[in-house]
């Protein structure tokens, strides 16, 4: 019976699955974080207002062109091909011997960076022009405006898209098995190769993938709600001078819960 | 009297659309000047040119005798000396009320957190928003937002306050609370330049009223001159139209 074999597969080979899942999570977490940072940087650079003339305009134009090429190339080619080109290319052409894990993190990072750059750009464009104007009117520079006013709002707004990217990364790291990264897919293939039970091994893998992506989605949703805070501001009259509104709100929620 | 802002032959075009034509105009220290006129007359653009949110196409702007359109002039330091209040408030959505009033002081004026907090609280009390210091903008009503926006601008200790139709986006019952704050500020001797549709405010509070029409300053004078004896036919027509609506 298949079910028995599934149970046997799990009980016998669980350390391999766990190790694979661990590597998958490691690559996708680091890849998503580095990718998001790349995306934020590119987003900020690409929204610098173009100076009307002079040397700075030329530099900015060159940088923007390079960034556009980066985004287009990495969005326009499959990650599995990028993995082969970068891993073997760096070995043969540049004589850099990366471990498969390092190469995997690198590939996922720059791939995510290309997607995040567009997401961030969209996020910045969607911020009300008034926010920029108010910051400029106070005397802030472009960088100050970005860091203190715009990016915190952009990060909140692109959180769902970033979560999406993270989930995609968890799944897509499976293509890194072509450069022998020992992530979950690679490990599952090894398990299946031991006893030639492909269905059972990959069924276990699919459950693990789903648990990982579902958990990540839930956690991100929770963070979003945390950032948004309550809809209304509750103002209590003078009895409790020391109480902050947050305390008051918590007290009220407790009160509601106790009824 | 000391001219704090002096505008000479200012012009602004968007494409082929000439929004401001040869504007000559100045504001003295401690003066409250209201700019009135129908929409599209260029009054908001004039205000936005003064703090360089729009780049003038021609002419000169002097701030305390300094040419601010000169390439070497530090635009950011200049802007910090002007407090701007927008029609749509434009509070920083990611900051709470207190931090809206502090962030500019800390980042631009390099004040310490403690000092910034003290200054912010002082002005939040002036606008009677000190009870809401931890509220986020989306939790406030329009009138409350605008009062915070005024406190934010005041916290920078500006030398001139610019108001760009501060009550136009408000529900009628909230207009009063904002105008009341602005009247108080005028009473404190602040230099104020107010683009407004509130004729009552322009008449009562301002020292001088400027009537703009089709990108030029058509007429200017004391509130009595403008409201009681306008010289031009178009001023008379505009006032009649606006006062009928109210």
């Amino acid at each position: 019976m298949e079910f028995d074999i599934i149970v046997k597969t799990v009980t016998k080979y669980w350390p391999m699955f766990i190790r694979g899942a661990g590597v998958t999570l490691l690559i996708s977490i680091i890849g998503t974080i580095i990718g998001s940072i790349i995306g934020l940087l590119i987003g900020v650079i690409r929204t610098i207002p173009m100076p009307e003339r002079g040397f700075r305009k030329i530099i900015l134009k060159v940088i923007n062109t390079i960034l556009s090429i980066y985004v287009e190339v990495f969005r326009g080619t499959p990650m599995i091909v990028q993995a082969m080109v970068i891993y073997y290319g760096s070995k043969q052409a540049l004589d850099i011997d990366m471990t498969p894990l390092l190469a995997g993190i690198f590939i996922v990072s720059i791939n995510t960076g290309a997607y995040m750059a567009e997401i961030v750009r969209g996020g910045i464009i969607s911020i009300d022009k008034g926010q920029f104007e108010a910051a400029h009117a106070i005397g802030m520079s472009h960088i100050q405006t970005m860091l203190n006013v715009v990016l915190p709002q952009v990060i909140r707004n692109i959180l769902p898209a970033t979560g999406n990217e993270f989930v995609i990364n968890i799944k897509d790291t499976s293509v890194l098995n072509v450069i022998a990264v020992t992530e979950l897919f690679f490990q599952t293939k090894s398990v299946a190769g031991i006893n030639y039970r492909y269905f059972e091994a990959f069924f276990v893998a699919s459950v693990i993938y789903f648990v990982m992506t579902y958990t990540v989605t839930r956690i991100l949703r929770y963070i979003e709600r945390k950032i948004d805070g309550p809809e209304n501001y509750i103002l209590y009259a003078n009895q409790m001078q020391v109480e902050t509104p947050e305390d008051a709100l918590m007290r009220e929620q407790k009160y509601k819960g106790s009824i | 009297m000391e001219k704090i802002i002096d505008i000479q032959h200012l012009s602004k075009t968007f494409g082929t659309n000439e929004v401001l034509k040869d504007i000559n105009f100045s504001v003295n220290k401690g003066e409250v000047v209201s700019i009135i006129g129908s929409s599209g007359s260029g009054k908001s653009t004039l205000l936005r040119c003064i703090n360089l949110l729009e780049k003038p196409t021609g002419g000169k702007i002097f701030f305390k005798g300094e040419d601010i359109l000169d390439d070497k002039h530090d635009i950011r330091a200049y802007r910090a000396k002007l407090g701007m209040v927008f029609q749509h408030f434009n509070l920083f959505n990611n900051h709470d009320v207190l931090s809206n009033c502090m962030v500019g002081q800390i980042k631009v004026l390099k004040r310490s957190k403690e000092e910034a907090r003290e200054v912010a609280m002082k002005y939040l009390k002036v606008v009677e928003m000190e009870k809401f210091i931890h509220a986020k903008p989306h939790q406030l009503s329009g009138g409350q937002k605008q009062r915070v926006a005024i406190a934010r601008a005041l916290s920078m200790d500006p030398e001139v306050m610019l108001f760009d139709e501060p009550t136009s986006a408000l529900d009628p019952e909230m207009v009063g609370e904002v105008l009341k704050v602005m009247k108080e500020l005028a009473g404190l001797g602040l230099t104020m330049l107010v683009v407004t549709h509130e004729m009552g405010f322009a008449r009562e509070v301002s020292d001088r009223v400027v009537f703009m029409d089709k990108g030029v300053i058509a007429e200017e004078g004391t509130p009595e001159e403008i409201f009681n004896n306008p010289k031009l036919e178009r001023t008379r027509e505009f006032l009649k139209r606006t006062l009928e609506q109210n």
Side-chain angles (χ1 to χ4, degrees):
Chain A
M1 253 240 332
E2 274 97 358
F3 189 70
D4 290 345
I5 296 166
I6 289 172
V7 171
K8 236 182 252 166
T9 311
V10 172
T11 50
K12 201 163 170 198
Y13 300 108
W14 64 267
M16 288 182 79
F17 284 113
I18 295 296
R19 237 177 293 144
V23 172
T24 291
L25 268 185
L26 179 76
I27 296 177
S28 33
I29 288 175
I30 298 179
T32 309
I33 291 172
I34 298 179
S36 302
I37 295 169
I38 295 174
L40 283 171
L41 286 175
I42 295 180
V44 172
I45 294 170
R46 291 225 278 187
T47 48
I48 294 176
M50 208 34 107
E52 273 166 52
R53 56 185 179 274
F55 190 58
R56 285 190 57 186
K57 183 177 176 172
I58 300 167
I59 292 207
L60 201 58
K61 271 223 161 124
V62 171
I63 293 175
N64 277 345
T65 315
I66 294 171
L67 294 178
S68 305
I69 293 172
Y70 159 68
V71 170
E72 293 305 330
V73 166
F74 280 90
R75 286 202 312 173
T77 52
M79 194 158 84
I80 193 164
V81 176
Q82 292 164 16
M84 298 297 260
V85 169
I86 290 173
Y87 183 61
Y88 293 107
S90 64
K91 223 171 240 180
Q92 289 170 12
L94 304 171
D95 214 27
I96 302 168
D97 199 4
M98 278 193 278
T99 63
L101 181 67
L102 199 66
I105 291 173
F106 179 73
I107 289 153
V108 174
S109 300
I110 49 173
N111 196 283
T112 310
Y115 281 95
M116 288 303 294
E118 283 300 287
I119 293 171
V120 170
R121 201 169 66 94
I124 293 175
I125 290 170
S126 74
I127 298 290
D128 180 24
K129 229 177 81 206
Q131 299 283 311
F132 292 86
E133 288 187 346
H136 290 156
I138 260 179
M140 286 190 192
S141 62
H142 181 71
I143 298 290
Q144 284 175 332
T145 305
M146 281 294 167
L147 289 180
N148 297 297
V149 178
V150 177
L151 286 187
Q153 296 181 49
V154 169
I155 289 170
R156 162 64 194 94
N157 290 348
I158 65 170
L159 214 54
T162 312
N164 206 19
E165 236 2 83
F166 191 10
V167 167
I168 289 173
N169 280 342
I170 289 175
K171 295 187 293 176
D172 282 5
T173 45
S174 57
V175 306
L176 296 174
N177 80 86
V178 295
I179 55 167
V181 178
T182 55
E183 41 68 54
L184 184 54
F185 185 88
F186 186 88
Q187 295 285 48
T188 312
K189 230 169 49 173
S190 309
V191 171
I194 296 169
N195 53 11
Y196 297 104
R197 284 291 185 171
Y198 281 85
F199 165 70
E200 289 79 3
F202 280 98
F203 181 76
V204 174
S206 66
V207 172
I208 298 174
Y209 272 119
F210 181 74
V211 170
M212 286 197 289
T213 53
Y214 189 76
T215 316
V216 164
T217 318
R218 291 292 108 185
I219 292 172
L220 285 168
R221 199 48 54 73
Y222 175 77
I223 295 173
E224 277 171 39
R225 274 204 303 269
K226 249 312 201 288
I227 294 178
D228 287 347
E231 270 302 305
N232 300 306
Y233 190 71
I234 297 165
L235 189 69
Y236 282 93
N238 303 315
Q239 286 99 345
M240 299 208 171
Q241 296 284 4
V242 288
E243 194 178 49
T244 69
E246 287 87 339
D247 293 337
L249 199 72
M250 241 150 62
R251 185 165 50 79
E252 200 205 33
Q253 274 166 356
K254 265 191 211 142
Y255 172 71
K256 265 189 197 153
S258 67
I259 306 175
Chain B
M1 256 212 255
E2 190 195 344
K3 276 182 189 171
I4 195 153
I5 293 174
D6 190 15
I7 294 169
Q8 295 174 2
H9 308 293
L10 185 81
S11 66
K12 172 73 188 172
T13 49
F14 291 107
T16 54
N17 186 12
E18 235 185 328
V19 184
L20 296 176
K21 298 167 213 164
D22 195 30
I23 301 277
N24 292 291
F25 160 73
S26 63
V27 182
N28 297 321
K29 202 168 162 41
E31 208 180 12
V32 178
V33 180
S34 294
I35 305 177
I36 59 172
S38 46
S39 36
S41 59
K43 46 192 199 313
S44 282
T45 310
L46 173 59
L47 206 66
R48 292 166 60 85
C49 278
I50 291 176
N51 72 355
L52 303 180
L53 284 177
E54 303 290 353
K55 207 169 164 23
T57 334
K60 285 199 152 84
I61 301 175
F62 293 95
F63 180 74
K64 294 168 106 180
E66 283 177 60
D67 181 2
I68 57 152
L69 293 175
D70 187 75
D71 275 348
K72 286 178 217 95
H73 202 276
D74 185 352
I75 291 177
R76 287 194 274 134
Y78 162 69
R79 276 172 169 166
K81 291 180 196 153
L82 304 179
M84 178 85 170
V85 176
F86 296 88
Q87 181 177 0
H88 295 286
F89 333 124
N90 297 352
L91 290 181
F92 302 137
N93 292 327
N94 56 319
H95 291 275
D96 66 15
V97 166
L98 183 62
S99 139
N100 255 288
C101 300
M102 286 169 62
V103 64
Q105 297 186 62
I106 294 170
K107 300 295 172 189
V108 179
L109 302 179
K110 309 288 178 202
R111 286 180 182 160
S112 71
K113 261 201 171 136
E114 294 71 37
E115 193 192 353
R117 197 189 156 90
E118 219 167 277
V119 175
M121 284 309 293
K122 180 173 110 193
Y123 289 113
L124 284 169
K125 274 179 196 144
V126 171
V127 300
E128 293 173 17
M129 284 299 290
E130 74 275 14
K131 281 186 191 148
F132 292 86
I133 52 172
H134 293 302
K136 284 285 183 78
H138 71 99
Q139 297 166 324
L140 302 175
S141 73
Q144 290 173 330
K145 280 187 209 171
Q146 197 57 299
R147 285 188 282 148
V148 173
I150 292 172
R152 174 178 69 180
L154 288 171
S155 296
M156 301 290 288
D157 292 319
E159 301 190 33
V160 182
M161 283 287 281
L162 308 175
F163 292 85
D164 186 8
E165 304 192 25
T167 56
S168 299
L170 297 176
D171 289 338
E173 71 259 39
M174 289 170 185
V175 170
E177 63 185 62
V178 172
L179 288 181
K180 187 179 144 239
V181 168
M182 289 171 62
K183 273 180 204 169
E184 274 175 41
L185 298 182
L188 293 175
L190 214 63
T191 312
M192 287 165 61
L193 187 53
V194 187
V195 168
T196 186
H197 288 290
E198 292 293 328
M199 295 304 144
F201 177 87
R203 191 171 194 158
E204 252 179 73
V205 182
S206 32
D207 301 311
R208 193 147 51 95
V209 177
V210 173
F211 171 65
M212 282 188 69
D213 189 38
K214 298 194 181 99
V216 294
I217 292 180
E219 192 169 350
E220 62 173 299
T222 62
E224 291 82 52
E225 284 167 358
I226 299 287
F227 286 100
N228 299 342
N229 307 299
K231 286 188 206 102
L232 299 176
E233 182 56 38
R234 47 185 174 167
T235 316
R236 226 167 291 152
E237 249 171 51
F238 168 76
L239 288 172
K240 196 171 152 228
R241 242 190 356 255
T242 346
L243 295 175
E244 262 169 16
Q245 276 164 13
N246 290 346

